[in-house]
Amino acid sequence: MAEKTILKRVEYFMENLLFSARWLLAPFYFGLAISLFILLIKFIMELLHLAEGAFTSTESDVILGLLTLVDLTLTGSLLIIVIFSGYENFVSRMDHSTHGDRPEWMGTIDFSALKLKMLSSIVAISAVQLLRQFMALGTVTPEREKELFWLVIIHLVFVVSSVLLALSDRIAGGAHGHAGEAPENAGKTNGH
């Protein structure tokens, strides 16, 4: 009996240690929050550069500048999603339910939804990058053509990956019960 008690204590200690190890991720999310400031600095620099050339730039240059700002904004939004959802899914719940401007999605994104949102953001960022490359296209050289070809292929890989991930999550959700079905109706058969 004494051996079982010792083993239980060791097991309890190890489980607590493993459970507490999740806090090692907190500095990663804090580092991502700091990287938002770096992204903001880059955004402001690009905005000032765009404003500086507003009267002398061509329409194409302005559109390219705006696409850069959109790209930086999408990247910042992706970081926010990763920081909040990752922290809540893997470290600890954030209790800001009384805060007036708490985002509606906060606290509702599970790991599966986080993967889909991240991949969707990556597809959007890739699309903006691809559009920027097409807008900046001057003369078409064989090297430039090859570069654009690979950018299109990479973008298509992101698109196909996001569609396949969404399908696999939908199929997996169907295997664990009907997706979107109320819990009180789960498991009930027709007529019951």
Side-chain angles (χ1 to χ4, degrees):
M1 284 296 182
E3 281 183 31
K4 282 188 178 183
T5 306
I6 292 172
L7 287 176
K8 273 293 188 197
R9 285 184 190 162
V10 169
E11 179 183 8
Y12 182 74
F13 173 76
M14 294 299 285
E15 287 173 354
N16 278 336
L17 187 64
L18 287 174
F19 187 68
S20 298
R22 73 191 192 282
W23 285 100
L24 294 173
L25 282 173
F28 288 89
Y29 295 115
F30 185 71
L32 287 177
I34 291 172
S35 71
L36 278 171
F37 287 110
I38 297 167
L39 199 61
L40 176 62
I41 291 168
K42 187 65 176 168
F43 182 90
I44 291 170
M45 288 174 52
E46 291 292 330
L47 183 62
L48 291 175
H49 177 70
L50 184 63
E52 178 184 327
F55 294 107
T56 58
S57 298
T58 65
E59 182 181 345
S60 182
D61 289 339
V62 171
I63 292 172
L64 283 171
L66 290 173
L67 286 174
T68 300
L69 295 179
V70 168
D71 190 32
L72 290 169
T73 303
L74 287 172
T75 303
S77 299
L78 175 61
L79 279 173
I80 287 294
I81 291 170
V82 170
I83 292 167
F84 286 162
S85 300
Y87 186 87
E88 283 203 337
N89 277 303
F90 302 115
V91 180
S92 180
R93 285 262 179 233
M94 288 191 253
D95 187 20
H96 290 289
S97 55
T98 59
H99 204 278
D101 45 330
R102 174 189 163 123
E104 201 172 297
W105 57 265
M106 203 171 146
T108 61
I109 297 179
D110 60 358
F111 185 63
S112 178
L114 175 61
K115 290 186 300 185
L116 288 175
K117 284 195 178 296
M118 279 182 55
L119 206 48
S120 297
S121 295
I122 290 169
V123 167
I125 291 167
S126 170
V128 169
Q129 286 289 341
L130 189 58
L131 183 57
R132 279 179 54 198
Q133 294 299 319
F134 279 123
M135 292 291 299
L137 188 61
T139 57
V140 180
T141 63
E143 295 83 27
R144 189 75 171 120
E145 189 175 300
K146 189 174 183 179
E147 180 184 342
L148 287 174
F149 172 78
W150 282 109
L151 287 172
V152 169
I153 295 296
I154 290 168
H155 178 70
L156 289 175
V157 167
F158 286 145
V159 170
V160 169
S161 296
S162 64
V163 168
L164 290 176
L165 181 64
L167 284 173
S168 68
D169 278 353
R170 182 172 213 134
I171 291 168
H176 298 297
H178 300 290
E181 188 175 324
E184 62 270 4
N185 295 332
K188 289 184 180 179
T189 58
N190 291 338
H192 296 310

